[in-house]
Amino acid sequence: MSIRFGQLALYSKNKTELAHFLSELLEMEIKSAGEGVRLIADDISIIIFDDPRSNPANMNMMVDFFVDSKEELSELANKAQFFAYRFGLLAEGQDVGEIVGPIRGIGPLSYFFATDTDGRKWKFSHR
């Protein structure tokens, strides 16, 4: 059996803001998709729909993106910190480490978590 990743569908309080955040962070192209917004890069497709009632903090989801090197992981963590400031994700007095966690390691695995504009957590790893 061969299974491929189709697309990731997300619901957001503000699909446009989330699309711009993820587009810049993950270097994905933004396209219109009916009532949604689609992000496309290589073999990855994410579609985002508005749902003002959505509360990502209550959603159980874990998507783990892998990069090719520890250097890329470090660059991505730095970029995530920059976009956390740029998109105003930090509350007054909040530390950027609460939005973009430090790079951690378990054996050969290095990873960090980043929080998007809706409060949803994303994991980025290198093995």
Side-chain angles (χ1 to χ4, degrees), residues 29-79:
E29 181 181 355
I30 298 176
K31 294 194 175 206
S32 178
E35 292 186 24
V37 176
R38 184 177 311 280
L39 301 172
I40 300 171
D42 299 324
D43 293 334
I44 299 172
S45 177
I46 299 173
I47 190 163
I48 305 168
F49 298 101
D50 266 330
D51 183 357
R53 300 163 299 155
S54 66
N55 184 355
N58 294 334
M59 295 179 192
N60 293 323
M61 178 191 88
M62 175 54 61
V63 178
D64 197 351
F65 289 96
F66 279 82
V67 296
D68 293 329
S69 71
K70 285 186 179 181
E71 292 77 23
E72 286 179 327
L73 187 66
S74 180
E75 288 173 14
L76 188 58
N78 289 336
K79 192 179 345 180

Side-chain angles (χ1 to χ4, degrees), residues 81-94:
Q81 289 178 353
F82 171 77
F83 289 126
Y85 285 111
R86 182 170 167 201
F87 281 85
L89 301 182
L90 299 173
E92 189 174 327
Q94 188 177 27

